[in-house]
Amino acid sequence: MARTQGSHSHVTGPRIRQAALRLFARHGYAAVSMRQIASEVGLQAGALYNYTPDKQALLLSLMTGHLEDLLARSARAEGTGPAEARLEAFVRFHIAYHLDRPDEVFIAYMELRNLEPDHFAQVEALRRRYEDRLEAILAAGRDEGVFDVPDTKIATLAVIAMLTGVTTWYRPAGRLSADAVAGLYWDMVRKTVAA
Amino acid sequence: MARTQGSHSHVTGPRIRQAALRLFARHGYAAVSMRQIASEVGLQAGALYNYTPDKQALLLSLMTGHLEDLLARSARAEGTGPAEARLEAFVRFHIAYHLDRPDEVFIAYMELRNLEPDHFAQVEALRRRYEDRLEAILAAGRDEGVFDVPDTKIATLAVIAMLTGVTTWYRPAGRLSADAVAGLYWDMVRKTVAA
């Protein structure tokens, strides 16, 4: 049994996570049962517990998975150039990444209140690490003399909120492509921090 | 009976709305029952229906009430000066208003998915009217030659997201007062739209 379970878990695990993500985003964490998640992927409710100890573990895994992926990819996108080039890469990466994952973004914000305290602390630590990356770029640009940012922490939070807001209104069939939107946002961020 | 009910409804109605707001923000609309709301204000579940036809009507009323109040107060705050003065007033008003109402802000974003389609359309129309106010200021500043805003619609959405983001992290006991935060945000918005 263990072998059979193992040989399918690399397929079933991601399918469970996808189903949980969709259902949490659609109905809210509190309103979704493990039975519903199991039914969505064609498992008996009992079998679901072979993959995850409970619904809380599933939520935590979705949130930390999202943030760890965000951290790894943003590091690659950012590169090692001067601060302004790194900031532009950060802005364009952040918009593209979040537009591709509206359910993850929605859950990451909305379901924070449903995390148990130590899980909340884990998620907040990851989010803080991502914010720290942007704050380091702003501080570097200030040191280079190309940015004027009186409070790098507040500017970090302002820029991230501005960029993430795109997910609440962007539609692929709308008047602007994702690239055009990213260009407009980069122009605004550039001016916001300009010396 | 009608007279008695009428004479208390100006007190009980707001108490029901406050209880619903608190419970929706804490647990999510889907997870809260009419019975819980009634119990929170010391009513029998049946008596609650004297004040509101159902939970959906309560949610709609919370959202439209929030946005109508926002529209009325922002109009007064904005005044009729030149575009830059109106923009500063808009920024400072928006931050102060939203910091005073974290539960309303949270629900206004999070529970959109739980509105029935025609209710969603009503809420979206009000939100659009608020966005239109800011867009009109940006367009006026462009006409006056003091703002450089290539896309007033996108700049509107970007500025509102940036400002509303304050509610996700601001704590009254933190290192900055609400006024100091508003000053930093006004400085960033001013630069974002500057000619």
Side-chain angles (χ1 to χ4, degrees):
Chain A
M1 263 313 269
R3 184 139 187 276
T4 310
Q5 182 196 319
S7 65
H8 289 90
S9 65
H10 68 288
V11 176
T12 309
R15 284 183 56 227
I16 292 169
R17 291 164 54 90
Q18 278 306 313
L21 178 66
R22 251 194 330 269
L23 289 168
F24 292 166
R26 179 85 188 75
H27 306 290
Y29 173 81
V32 172
S33 67
M34 287 290 269
R35 185 173 298 274
Q36 271 175 284
I37 297 168
S39 146
E40 188 85 359
V41 291
L43 287 176
Q44 297 292 325
L48 189 55
Y49 292 94
N50 290 332
Y51 296 95
T52 182
D54 53 26
K55 197 170 68 155
Q56 175 70 203
L58 211 39
L59 178 64
L60 176 65
S61 149
L62 287 173
M63 286 194 176
T64 56
H66 169 61
L67 287 165
E68 281 161 1
D69 190 38
L70 179 71
L71 276 163
R73 287 173 194 253
S74 69
R76 287 199 292 277
E78 189 186 315
T80 54
E84 192 166 25
R86 281 159 59 206
L87 182 58
E88 178 171 1
F90 184 97
V91 166
R92 293 185 184 276
F93 162 78
H94 186 95
I95 289 180
Y97 185 86
H98 285 75
L99 283 185
D100 276 351
R101 293 162 183 81
D103 284 351
E104 281 90 339
V105 173
F106 189 59
I107 283 178
Y109 171 63
M110 181 190 66
E111 299 296 4
L112 284 175
R113 64 182 168 175
N114 282 316
L115 287 172
E116 291 162 11
D118 55 329
H119 295 164
F120 180 81
Q122 282 181 55
V123 168
E124 279 303 285
L126 287 169
R127 184 191 309 271
R128 187 66 57 96
R129 278 180 52 202
Y130 185 64
E131 292 169 4
D132 288 349
R133 303 189 66 87
L134 175 55
E135 192 174 359
I137 298 175
L138 297 180
R142 195 167 60 174
D143 294 346
E144 292 173 19
V146 294
F147 297 162
D148 177 13
V149 182
D151 190 312
T152 52
K153 181 71 193 165
I154 300 293
T156 294
L157 297 169
V159 167
I160 288 179
M162 180 201 265
L163 300 179
T164 306
V166 173
T167 59
T168 65
W169 59 263
Y170 181 76
R171 299 292 172 269
R175 73 179 164 93
L176 293 167
S177 71
D179 270 0
V181 169
L184 287 165
Y185 275 76
W186 163 235
D187 193 49
M188 290 188 282
V189 170
R190 189 185 51 72
K191 288 172 71 180
T192 303
V193 303
Chain B
M1 260 318 266
R3 186 139 182 274
T4 311
Q5 182 196 318
S7 65
H8 290 89
S9 65
H10 69 288
V11 177
T12 310
R15 284 183 56 229
I16 291 170
R17 292 164 52 91
Q18 279 305 313
L21 179 65
R22 252 195 329 270
L23 289 168
F24 292 165
R26 181 85 188 77
H27 306 290
Y29 173 81
V32 173
S33 67
M34 286 291 268
R35 185 173 298 275
Q36 270 174 287
I37 298 168
S39 145
E40 188 87 357
V41 291
L43 287 176
Q44 299 291 326
L48 189 55
Y49 292 94
N50 290 330
Y51 296 95
T52 182
D54 53 27
K55 197 171 68 157
Q56 175 70 203
L58 212 38
L59 178 63
L60 176 65
S61 149
L62 287 172
M63 285 195 175
T64 56
H66 168 61
L67 288 166
E68 281 160 2
D69 190 38
L70 179 70
L71 277 163
R73 288 173 193 254
S74 69
R76 287 199 293 277
E78 189 187 315
T80 54
E84 192 167 23
R86 283 158 60 204
L87 182 59
E88 178 171 0
F90 184 97
V91 166
R92 292 186 184 275
F93 161 78
H94 186 95
I95 289 179
Y97 185 86
H98 285 77
L99 283 184
D100 276 351
R101 293 162 184 81
D103 284 350
E104 280 91 339
V105 173
F106 188 59
I107 283 178
Y109 170 63
M110 179 191 68
E111 299 296 3
L112 283 175
R113 65 182 168 174
N114 282 316
L115 287 172
E116 292 163 10
D118 55 329
H119 295 163
F120 180 81
Q122 281 181 56
V123 167
E124 280 303 284
L126 287 169
R127 184 191 308 269
R128 187 66 57 95
R129 278 179 52 199
Y130 185 65
E131 291 169 6
D132 288 348
R133 303 189 66 87
L134 175 55
E135 192 175 358
I137 298 174
L138 297 180
R142 195 167 60 173
D143 294 347
E144 291 172 19
V146 295
F147 296 162
D148 176 13
V149 182
D151 190 313
T152 52
K153 182 70 194 167
I154 300 296
T156 294
L157 296 169
V159 167
I160 288 179
M162 179 201 267
L163 300 179
T164 306
V166 172
T167 59
T168 65
W169 58 263
Y170 181 77
R171 298 291 172 273
R175 75 180 162 92
L176 293 167
S177 71
D179 271 0
V181 169
L184 287 165
Y185 274 75
W186 163 236
D187 192 49
M188 290 188 281
V189 171
R190 188 184 52 71
K191 287 172 72 180
T192 303
V193 303

